[in-house]
Amino acid sequence: MPGMEKLHLEDVLEDSPQTRNLLRVFENDAFALKKYTLGLHNCCQRIMKAQNELCAATQALSQQLRDYEIQTFPLEPEDSILTTTLKQFSSYLDDVSSIQQVLSAQYSETMMYPMSRFIQADLEEVSTLCEMFQIATTEHESAIKNYMKLPKKKENDRQRMEYNEELYGMRKKFHQTGLHYYSSLNALQYKRKCSLLEPILGYMHAQRAFFQMGQDAVCKKEIEEFLNNINASVQGVQKELQQDTKKTVDLIDTLEQQSVQHYHAEPNPEMPYIPPNTQLAQKGGYLFIRSKQLIATRWDRCFFFTQGGNLMCQPKDEVAGSLSLDLNEPGVLAEPYDTDDRRFVFHVSSPKLRKSVVLQAENERERDEWICTINNIVRESGYVKSKSPLQQQANKERTPSTTSSTKESGGSSPDMANVNSSASLGSPHAPKPAPATNDMLLSDVPIQFDLQPLIDDITDVTPNLQGPPKL
Amino acid sequence: MPGMEKLHLEDVLEDSPQTRNLLRVFENDAFALKKYTLGLHNCCQRIMKAQNELCAATQALSQQLRDYEIQTFPLEPEDSILTTTLKQFSSYLDDVSSIQQVLSAQYSETMMYPMSRFIQADLEEVSTLCEMFQIATTEHESAIKNYMKLPKKKENDRQRMEYNEELYGMRKKFHQTGLHYYSSLNALQYKRKCSLLEPILGYMHAQRAFFQMGQDAVCKKEIEEFLNNINASVQGVQKELQQDTKKTVDLIDTLEQQSVQHYHAEPNPEMPYIPPNTQLAQKGGYLFIRSKQLIATRWDRCFFFTQGGNLMCQPKDEVAGSLSLDLNEPGVLAEPYDTDDRRFVFHVSSPKLRKSVVLQAENERERDEWICTINNIVRESGYVKSKSPLQQQANKERTPSTTSSTKESGGSSPDMANVNSSASLGSPHAPKPAPATNDMLLSDVPIQFDLQPLIDDITDVTPNLQGPPKL
């Protein structure tokens, strides 16, 4: 290495000011190099840390995608295409994360290790030798001062010999320490040329391997096709959503227009009068029910419906209805009733059970329809006869408040009706369930979504309830 | 989308318990989906953050490599191959960092943006509508309760109309809010299928582009060749270092063996006697100098050397020597001296200057050599005559304490000697500098490394001092 400045080991013993000055230049250089290398080490460690964090973050994302499956989404069936797709993405992310991990490992091996070794072995050695050299210098100077003070008279030979030997030891130690210190400072001039480059070479090699592995792993045809498929699916869903949104906007418009007449409880006198339908065999809707508590009287809003010859009652937020009155008993009668100075009140009384239910409808037509329907059911011994589809249609048009329930029940597949029917078996308040074999009969009964057991044991029942799911 | 469960907008107005139950299923699903999506968002944000940090860390490393140039390393010349190499690495790191930055930007655009939009626009909309729907429900129920309490008597028509109108408004608001709430819950079932996949698709596309760009940028032939070159250089330096280390170990052995006789100040009587060299025309080495302070006397160790007919003195850690005594004056004499009960003392007195320097050597031979040398210089009127190389060689062998200085000065290029000579001009204590044209003369003068100005203005002088640097 021509032209490289060097400390001359031959000058250590003489220790002249010139040598000291040159030494100071080397020491300052070593100090600056150590400072610079520690800065470089911090930079590399920062990269290492960020790379480790990136790797962990990728793993966490992959785990989150896999976890979609174990979330209890009430509406997402097991093994949906979405679940499968997310799992597939998760496995690709695992591949990316593995490659990131390899990069981390290579950083650690080819970048961090040589640099740490340089700092700990070489730069620290220089610092240690520097301290040792300072100590040896001080000790040598102290020994020589003592020696120089020796008096001229020859009597004290023992002390002379002692001081001369002490000086011998200290000068030898100083010389040996200095030789090693100087040579380690000289070696540092070679080492700076490898030890600063080695970690960066390691970084570059690792980075190149990383990009190569990454391309091999995620740029292959198979993944491209998968991504194109998923992309097409997503666009398909977005198109469907657009169409659905358009339909929904229209439907909302229609429903709002149709519903204007139902916003008033007492019909607007300007609207055409709709007479009550006296032929209904079933009915559902909100009524207020009177209950007596000690001296006070309560009126609570509750959803009432007829089912299997029973008058059922279900508060809005309950999952199942309960029996309000058995209409099969002989002598049951519904009729207008006057109480509490309220309008549109009627009561249903069962002489045999000595029970009477006092109810309030929103308007006269509603009250009359309820009275007729209940009396119709009592007359038919609580069982609804099959009607022709034409008659059903007529009923629907005249009873808008139950339209949707009927429609929903009509639109259900036989499978679904069975599920609902058997689910209602679990409800303690649903007496005399209709036989499941009579589909016509079932389709006229309002669906009772007894959803609690479905949620508790969703993996068994959900697929049946929701039908075959598609992405 | 067949098989997908939907809320029926037709059921909003009736608001039956069945509808409420189904609504609750959708609400729970939306809640779970929001929770899951926020978790996914956190994962993606973590990746984003790690990627940004990695990018910043790479930039910092690149900057650190560039900063090598602006460090003031006393021993590293400007534009050394190491500096250039680190700069080249820095530019490759900039490329890597740019690609990492592109990846960050793509993450932000194709992963974070769709997810944030889904959370802020869609999931938050559902939450807001949920609250609005609850408020509308409460208001509607309150309005209907008030309406139902109206008394039967017809007198209070105004209140009846008022309550009926109030109910109209609340029911309309409830219906409209419900329609939007239901339809946004339905839409969420489509959106989950795009909005969870879109960010991951974005991630995969960005990752693929990243690996592709990375490979294009750092896997090219040019970089491979560069890395191979640097690798070869580093190995070359390591080989040189090994050879140098071997040589150094041998040199240390030799020096330690040769120096044993110099560790004692008073020569070991068993060692062969070396007589003082009485023919020396110059000499350098440590002596103790006496100084009187009020009533006390100090003896300080100081490096003395002869230069241009002067006796120079330089404390060990000073950067330049100062004049101790001008030996050119007539009548100057060095001779043994007895004082302070110390051994090996001599003094140099100048009658004309009325000045006397009292010095102490380590042993008799040293003292005698100093006395002879000074008297030789005085005799030659302070100027050293040119000697034949043979004579110089003889001198060197007999004066081991100055060997290295002489050798060093002899090994310097004329350029370097000039630099040193002109540098010593800056020192106020260096009188009568020898003319720079006489190379023979200069090569016999011990080099005075006046390094202070070099360090202050290193960029100008260092290259000359250190010669042409090679890696």
Side-chain angles (χ1 to χ4, degrees), chain A residues 1 3 6 11 14-15 17-18 21 24 26 29 32-33 36 39-40 46-47 51 53-54 56 61 64-65 68 73-75 89 93 137 141 144 147-149 151-152 160 164-165 167-168 171-172 175-176 183 189-190 192 194 196 200 203 208 210-212 214-215 218-219 224 227 237 240 244 248 256 259 262-266 286 288 303 314 316-319 338 341-343 360-362 401 404-405 447 466, chain B residues 1 3 6 11 14-15 17-18 21 24 26 29 32-33 36 39-40 46-47 51 53-54 56 61 64-65 68 73-75 89 93 137 141 144 147-149 151-152 160 164-165 167-168 171-172 175-176 183 189-190 192 194 196 200 203 208 210-212 214-215 218-219 224 227 237 240 244 248 256 259 262-266 286 288 303 314 316-317 319 338 341-343 360-362 401 404 447 449 466 471:
Chain A
M1 199 154 298
K6 269 193 164 195
D11 299 344
E14 190 193 41
D15 197 30
Q18 293 95 309
N21 283 334
R24 220 167 294 131
F26 273 73
D29 188 79
L33 185 62
Y36 179 81
L40 192 67
R46 188 178 165 194
I47 287 185
Q51 182 63 34
E53 167 59 11
L54 184 62
L61 178 60
Q64 177 77 1
L65 296 187
Y68 185 80
F73 292 114
L75 292 176
F89 273 128
L93 280 170
T137 300
E141 291 194 351
I144 203 167
Y147 165 82
M148 296 297 262
K149 275 186 210 152
K152 298 184 92 168
R160 276 195 193 179
N164 201 25
E165 283 307 316
L167 181 57
Y168 175 90
R171 192 167 278 178
K172 185 176 178 184
H175 191 214
Q176 288 178 342
S183 60
Q189 293 307 312
Y190 288 98
R192 84 184 314 147
C194 339
L196 293 182
I200 313 301
Y203 172 90
R208 282 159 56 86
F210 170 67
F211 284 129
Q212 185 62 58
Q215 220 202 15
V218 305
C219 295
E224 196 180 331
L227 294 180
V237 172
E240 258 186 275
D244 188 84
T248 302
E256 282 183 355
S259 304
H262 300 292
Y263 292 159
H264 280 116
E266 259 183 298
Y286 281 99
F288 276 67
F303 191 82
Q314 184 173 6
K316 195 179 69 183
D317 291 323
E318 294 286 313
V319 289
D338 191 1
D341 194 19
R342 286 193 171 223
R343 303 182 298 165
Q360 183 185 17
E362 277 190 12
S401 67
S404 56
S405 299
I447 295 176
Q466 299 183 327
Chain B
M1 199 153 298
K6 270 193 163 194
D11 298 344
E14 190 193 40
D15 197 30
Q18 292 96 309
N21 283 334
R24 219 167 294 131
F26 273 74
D29 188 78
L33 185 61
Y36 179 81
L40 191 67
R46 188 178 165 193
I47 286 185
Q51 182 63 35
E53 167 60 12
L54 184 61
L61 178 59
Q64 177 77 1
L65 296 187
Y68 185 80
F73 292 114
L75 291 177
F89 273 127
L93 279 170
T137 300
E141 290 193 351
I144 202 167
Y147 166 82
M148 296 297 262
K149 274 186 209 153
K152 299 184 91 168
R160 274 194 194 181
N164 201 27
E165 283 307 315
L167 181 57
Y168 174 91
R171 192 167 277 178
K172 186 177 177 182
H175 191 214
Q176 288 178 342
S183 60
Q189 293 307 311
Y190 287 98
R192 86 186 310 149
C194 339
L196 292 181
I200 312 301
Y203 173 90
R208 281 159 57 87
F210 170 67
F211 283 129
Q212 185 63 58
Q215 220 202 15
V218 306
C219 295
E224 196 179 330
L227 293 180
V237 172
E240 259 186 275
D244 188 84
T248 303
E256 280 183 354
S259 304
H262 300 291
Y263 293 159
H264 280 117
E266 260 184 298
Y286 282 98
F288 276 66
F303 191 82
Q314 184 173 6
K316 195 179 68 184
D317 292 322
V319 290
D338 191 1
D341 194 19
R342 286 192 172 223
R343 303 182 298 165
Q360 183 184 17
E362 277 190 12
S401 67
S404 55
I447 295 176
F449 276 105
Q466 299 182 328
L471 180 67

Side-chain angles (χ1 to χ4, degrees), chain A residues 68-69 71 73-84 458-459 462-464 466-471, chain B residues 3-5 29 189 192-193:
Chain A
Y68 185 80
E69 193 180 10
Q71 306 298 309
F73 292 114
L75 292 176
E76 184 72 334
E78 241 191 327
D79 287 330
S80 71
I81 294 182
L82 182 57
T83 308
T84 320
I458 196 141
T459 48
T462 314
N464 285 338
Q466 299 183 327
K470 297 265 169 69
L471 180 67
Chain B
M4 196 169 87
E5 197 76 12
D29 188 78
Q189 293 307 311
R192 86 186 310 149
K193 288 174 179 59

Side-chain angles (χ1 to χ4, degrees), chain B residues 358-410:
Chain B
V358 181
L359 301 164
Q360 183 184 17
E362 277 190 12
N363 51 43
E364 204 173 307
R365 188 173 57 80
E366 274 292 297
R367 184 194 61 186
D368 294 348
E369 247 180 42
W370 271 107
I371 290 171
C372 290
T373 308
I374 289 168
N375 289 336
N376 288 346
I377 292 169
V378 172
R379 250 196 312 281
E380 309 262 347
S381 296
Y383 279 92
V384 183
K385 283 183 183 162
S386 287
K387 295 189 197 89
S388 71
L390 197 71
Q391 209 173 343
Q392 276 188 43
Q393 186 60 31
N395 283 354
K396 270 180 207 162
E397 274 162 11
R398 271 168 293 172
T399 58
S401 67
T402 52
T403 304
S404 55
S405 298
T406 319
K407 209 184 285 172
E408 189 176 42
S409 130

Side-chain angles (χ1 to χ4, degrees), chain A residues 138-235:
Chain A
T138 311
E139 286 175 346
H140 172 237
E141 291 194 351
S142 162
I144 203 167
K145 259 180 197 159
N146 287 339
Y147 165 82
M148 296 297 262
K149 275 186 210 152
L150 283 170
K152 298 184 92 168
K153 51 186 178 238
K154 297 225 169 180
E155 292 90 66
N156 216 340
D157 256 5
R158 219 185 115 261
Q159 204 189 16
R160 276 195 193 179
M161 224 174 78
E162 210 177 83
Y163 277 40
N164 201 25
E165 283 307 316
E166 163 106 17
L167 181 57
Y168 175 90
M170 288 308 165
R171 192 167 278 178
K172 185 176 178 184
K173 186 181 160 193
F174 167 78
H175 191 214
Q176 288 178 342
T177 310
L179 288 170
H180 285 100
Y181 183 39
Y182 279 39
S183 60
S184 77
L185 282 168
N186 281 338
L188 204 58
Q189 293 307 312
Y190 288 98
K191 284 174 186 164
R192 84 184 314 147
K193 287 173 179 60
C194 339
S195 301
L196 293 182
L197 291 176
E198 257 182 312
I200 313 301
L201 270 175
Y203 172 90
M204 286 299 288
H205 282 304
Q207 199 67 43
R208 282 159 56 86
F210 170 67
F211 284 129
Q212 185 62 58
M213 277 187 296
Q215 220 202 15
D216 292 350
V218 305
C219 295
K220 51 190 173 192
K221 195 82 188 150
E222 169 206 335
I223 295 186
E224 196 180 331
E225 279 167 11
F226 174 76
L227 294 180
N228 287 342
N229 279 346
I230 300 302
N231 208 29
S233 298
V234 166
Q235 282 175 357

Side-chain angles (χ1 to χ4, degrees), chain B residues 31-250:
Chain B
F31 181 77
L33 185 61
K34 186 174 178 181
K35 201 178 144 198
Y36 179 81
T37 308
L38 289 176
L40 191 67
H41 185 262
N42 286 346
C43 285
C44 291
Q45 211 158 31
R46 188 178 165 193
I47 286 185
M48 184 81 202
K49 216 176 135 192
Q51 182 63 35
N52 282 338
E53 167 60 12
L54 184 61
C55 181
T58 309
Q59 274 167 359
L61 178 59
S62 166
Q63 188 59 48
Q64 177 77 1
L65 296 187
R66 259 196 304 277
D67 283 354
Y68 185 80
E69 194 181 10
I70 57 164
Q71 305 299 309
T72 41
F73 292 114
L75 291 177
E76 184 73 334
E78 241 191 328
D79 287 330
S80 71
I81 294 183
L82 181 56
T83 308
T84 320
T85 308
L86 289 174
K87 262 199 240 170
Q88 183 59 57
F89 273 127
S90 170
S91 88
Y92 292 147
L93 279 170
D94 285 342
D95 292 346
V96 171
S97 167
S98 296
I99 295 164
Q100 288 170 336
Q101 208 157 17
V102 170
L103 180 59
S104 273
Q106 289 202 338
Y107 279 165
S108 166
E109 199 180 313
T110 64
M111 180 173 73
M112 298 313 289
Y113 174 70
M115 191 153 17
S116 301
R117 197 189 46 200
F118 178 52
I119 291 170
Q120 281 158 26
D122 300 317
L123 292 170
E124 284 304 322
E125 186 196 35
V126 167
S127 298
T128 308
L129 281 170
C130 176
E131 278 171 43
M132 285 170 66
F133 185 66
Q134 275 168 5
I135 293 168
T137 300
T138 311
E139 286 174 346
H140 172 237
E141 290 193 351
S142 162
I144 202 167
K145 259 181 197 157
N146 288 338
Y147 166 82
M148 296 297 262
K149 274 186 209 153
L150 283 170
K152 299 184 91 168
K153 51 183 177 235
K154 297 223 168 179
E155 291 90 67
N156 215 341
D157 257 5
R158 218 184 118 262
Q159 204 190 15
R160 274 194 194 181
M161 225 174 77
E162 209 178 85
Y163 277 40
N164 201 27
E165 283 307 315
E166 164 107 17
L167 181 57
Y168 174 91
M170 289 307 166
R171 192 167 277 178
K172 186 177 177 182
K173 187 181 161 194
F174 167 79
H175 191 214
Q176 288 178 342
T177 310
L179 287 171
H180 285 100
Y181 184 38
Y182 278 40
S183 60
S184 77
L185 282 169
N186 281 338
L188 204 59
Q189 293 307 311
Y190 287 98
K191 283 173 185 166
R192 86 186 310 149
K193 288 174 179 59
C194 339
S195 301
L196 292 181
L197 291 176
E198 257 183 312
I200 312 301
L201 270 174
Y203 173 90
M204 286 299 288
H205 281 304
Q207 199 67 43
R208 281 159 57 87
F210 170 67
F211 283 129
Q212 185 63 58
M213 278 186 296
Q215 220 202 15
D216 292 349
V218 306
C219 295
K220 52 190 172 193
K221 195 80 187 152
E222 169 207 334
I223 296 187
E224 196 179 330
E225 279 166 11
F226 175 77
L227 293 180
N228 287 342
N229 279 347
I230 300 302
N231 208 31
S233 298
V234 166
Q235 282 175 359
V237 172
Q238 279 167 338
K239 210 175 153 192
E240 259 186 275
L241 173 61
Q242 276 173 9
Q243 291 167 348
D244 188 84
T245 303
K246 208 162 164 270
K247 274 190 212 160
T248 303
V249 168
D250 292 346

Side-chain angles (χ1 to χ4, degrees), chain A residues 83 111 192 311 336 359 435 441 443 464:
Chain A
T83 308
M111 180 173 73
R192 84 184 314 147
L311 180 64
L359 302 164
L441 182 74
S443 68
N464 285 338

